[in-house]
Amino acid sequence: MDAPLPPRESAQFIAERSRDVFIDGGGVRRVAELLLAEASGPGLRLEGWKALHELNPQAADEAAVSWVFLTDTLNFSFWSESDEHKCLVKYRGRAYSGYWALCAAVHRALDQGIPITSASYYATVTLDEVRHIFRSDTEVSMPMMEERHRILNETGTILLEKFGGSFLNCVRKSENSAQKLVSLVVENFPSYRDVTQFEGKRVSFYKRAQILVADTWSVLEGKGDGCFTDISSVTMFADYRLPQVLVHLGALKYSDELLKKLRKGEMLSYGDRQEVEIRGCSLWCVELIRDCLLELIDRKSEKPNAEINSILLDYCLWDYARDHREDMKGIPFHRTRCIYY
Ligand SMILES: Nc1nc2c(c(CN[C@H]3C=C[C@H](O)[C@@H]3O)cn2[C@@H]2O[C@H](COP(=O)(O)O)[C@@H](O)[C@H]2O)c(=O)[nH]1
C-alpha cells in the first residue's frame, strides 16, 4: 500500500478541498500579531517547555526521555462529557485535569515507587494496576482506560524487543533527524499510526508521533541526541484544543451546519469528513500563521532570540487555550474518541 501523504502536505490537500472548515486570512494575521508580542518571551522559546510547566521533567537524561515517551504514548482523549464533572488528579496540593492529570498521575506513581516509565514494567502491567495508577480523585475516571492498558502492554513489549527497553535508543537511531524519528515511531509502534482517508487519498496527521519528537527535542533542550537538524519541518499537533482556540481567535471558521452539530455535542468519528477537515485546516492554519509571523519579525527586523517554528507556536497556542478556558466556553471543541489525539 502506498505511503500516506506527510502531515503538512495532507493538511494543504485537505484545506484546498474543505467544505465545512475555512481559514480566515485576517484572523491568521491577527493571531500572528498576537504571537509577535510573545516572540521575545518564554512562551515562544524552547526553554518555556520546562520553565512554564512544573510537571514536565526538569532533567535532560535518559529517565526524562523515558518519561516523555510514556506520557506521549498515553497522550490522547482526555475530554469528559461535561466540563463540570471531569477526571482530576491531585498532586502536591494542586488538582490537575486533562493532559496534566495524566502527568500528575505519572509523578504520583513514581513517588509511590511504581516504575511506570520503565518498559519492563508497563509491558506486563495489568488492567487493575493501570486503573490504580491513573485513578481520578473525582467520581469521573480518565477515559479509555482499557485502550491505555492495551497500548502500554503493546508499546512496552515492542520497546523491549526492538530498542533494548529505552526510547533513547530509538532517538539515537534517528541520527538527529526529526523526520526519521517520526518514521521510526510510526513504523514500530502501531498506536502512533494516525492515518486516515480524504477524497480517496491516504492522509496522515501523526499527532502523537510529532508531539513525541517535539517533547523529546524540548526535554533534551535541543542538544546532543535532541539536536534535530530538521526540527522546523515538524508541524503543529492536530488535537481537539488547537481547533477550538483557532476558532476563538478568528483564524478558523466552521460552517453553520458544523457549528450547530458541535454545539449539540454530537460526536464525530475518527476519519469522518468533517473531523478530517477540522484537523487538516487547523494544521494548515498554523503553518500560515508561522509564515505570517516570520514575515512580521523580518519586517520589524527584530531577530527573535531563537528560531520560531510550528512546534513553539503550537505549545504557545495550546497553553493560551488552557489559560483562556472561560473565554472559550462559547466555542465547542469537536468530540472524537480515539487513541490518536
Ligand atoms: N496541539 C497540542 N495538543 C496537546 C498538547 C499537549 C500537552 N503538551 C505540551 C503542553 C505543555 C508541555 O509543553 C507539553 O509538551 C496535550 N495535547 C493534546 O490536547 C488534548 C488535551 O487537552 P486538555 O483536555 O485541555 O488537557 C489532547 O488531545 C492532548 O493530546 C500540546 O502541546 N499541543
Side-chain angles (χ1 to χ4, degrees):
M1 188 185 285
D2 55 319
L5 275 178
R8 196 173 189 280
E9 289 74 11
S10 297
Q12 183 169 21
F13 178 78
I14 294 159
E16 287 167 353
R17 295 161 179 78
S18 180
R19 298 202 288 253
D20 282 294
V21 185
F22 313 100
I23 295 169
D24 179 289
V28 163
R29 180 169 181 96
R30 281 194 302 278
V31 175
E33 284 161 355
L34 175 82
L35 292 168
L36 182 63
E38 288 287 319
S40 49
L44 267 177
R45 283 175 48 186
L46 168 55
E47 296 72 20
W49 193 87
K50 292 183 175 179
L52 300 175
H53 301 295
E54 74 275 6
L55 292 186
N56 280 344
Q58 297 302 305
D61 55 15
E62 198 271 341
V65 171
S66 295
W67 188 96
V68 161
F69 184 63
L70 185 272
T71 47
D72 280 330
T73 293
L74 298 173
N75 188 356
F76 57 86
S77 208
F78 301 106
W79 59 268
S80 55
E81 289 310 321
S82 99
D83 209 39
E84 284 63 52
H85 301 93
K86 59 187 172 186
C87 165
L88 289 176
V89 173
K90 289 192 187 108
Y91 183 69
R92 290 192 178 162
R94 273 190 65 176
Y96 294 91
S97 65
Y99 165 79
W100 291 123
L102 172 77
C103 296
V106 172
H107 284 295
R108 181 178 61 185
L110 291 171
D111 289 0
Q112 290 168 359
I114 301 170
I116 183 61
T117 56
S118 159
S120 53
Y121 176 80
Y122 58 81
T124 57
V125 69
T126 66
L127 175 55
D128 281 348
E129 287 167 334
V130 168
R131 284 203 175 102
H132 173 71
I133 289 164
F134 297 105
R135 67 192 178 280
S136 168
D137 288 308
T138 69
E139 73 286 357
V140 181
S141 301
M142 190 179 290
M144 304 186 87
M145 201 60 82
E146 290 77 8
E147 288 82 356
R148 295 181 203 275
H149 170 242
R150 182 189 64 76
I151 286 169
L152 282 174
N153 287 170
E154 173 185 88
T155 307
T157 302
I158 294 165
L159 198 67
L160 287 168
E161 282 170 3
K162 297 191 172 181
F163 300 101
S166 168
F167 182 62
L168 187 56
N169 291 334
C170 185
V171 176
R172 287 177 171 151
K173 278 192 189 311
S174 76
E175 295 167 326
N176 296 95
S177 163
Q179 289 308 323
K180 190 155 177 220
L181 186 52
V182 168
S183 302
L184 277 167
V185 169
V186 299
E187 277 155 22
N188 288 288
F189 299 100
S191 81
Y192 280 86
R193 291 178 196 149
D194 181 3
V195 177
T196 187
Q197 295 267 352
F198 184 80
E199 295 203 357
K201 265 210 188 298
R202 290 183 77 226
V203 293
S204 66
F205 293 112
Y206 293 151
K207 182 260 172 194
R208 287 204 287 112
Q210 291 206 101
I211 200 169
L212 170 59
V213 173
D215 287 347
T216 302
W217 173 63
S218 301
V219 81
L220 290 175
E221 300 167 12
K223 296 176 207 142
D225 296 313
C227 178
F228 297 110
T229 52
D230 56 344
I231 193 66
S232 293
S233 67
V234 174
T235 74
M236 65 77 97
F237 321 117
D239 72 320
Y240 53 84
R241 287 293 173 211
L242 261 278
Q244 186 185 21
V245 74
L246 291 171
V247 171
H248 169 68
L249 294 172
L252 211 56
K253 292 198 184 322
Y254 293 156
S255 68
D256 292 344
E257 187 247 330
L258 175 56
L259 202 49
K260 203 161 66 182
K261 187 187 276 190
L262 297 184
R263 283 217 164 104
K264 281 195 317 202
E266 273 186 47
M267 299 266 289
L268 299 182
S269 297
Y270 181 83
D272 277 356
R273 181 181 178 99
Q274 290 175 328
E275 188 252 358
V276 176
E277 288 185 7
I278 290 171
R279 299 184 78 198
C281 292
S282 297
L283 197 154
W284 192 243
C285 183
V286 171
E287 293 299 287
L288 298 177
I289 292 169
R290 187 212 47 214
D291 294 347
C292 185
L293 176 58
L294 290 175
E295 207 182 288
L296 290 173
I297 290 172
D298 281 350
R299 209 170 296 159
K300 273 186 79 174
S301 75
E302 230 179 69
K303 276 284 151 250
N305 31 61
E307 194 185 335
I308 303 279
N309 59 38
S310 295
I311 293 172
L312 297 175
L313 289 195
D314 177 286
Y315 285 162
C316 186
L317 288 166
W318 192 84
D319 287 342
Y320 181 97
R322 269 265 150 175
D323 300 341
H324 296 78
R325 195 54 52 88
E326 271 314 298
D327 308 345
M328 289 175 23
K329 267 212 173 323
I331 307 288
F333 62 87
H334 70 283
R335 293 159 182 248
T336 297
R337 271 292 177 235
C338 71
I339 62 167
Y340 300 107
Y341 65 95

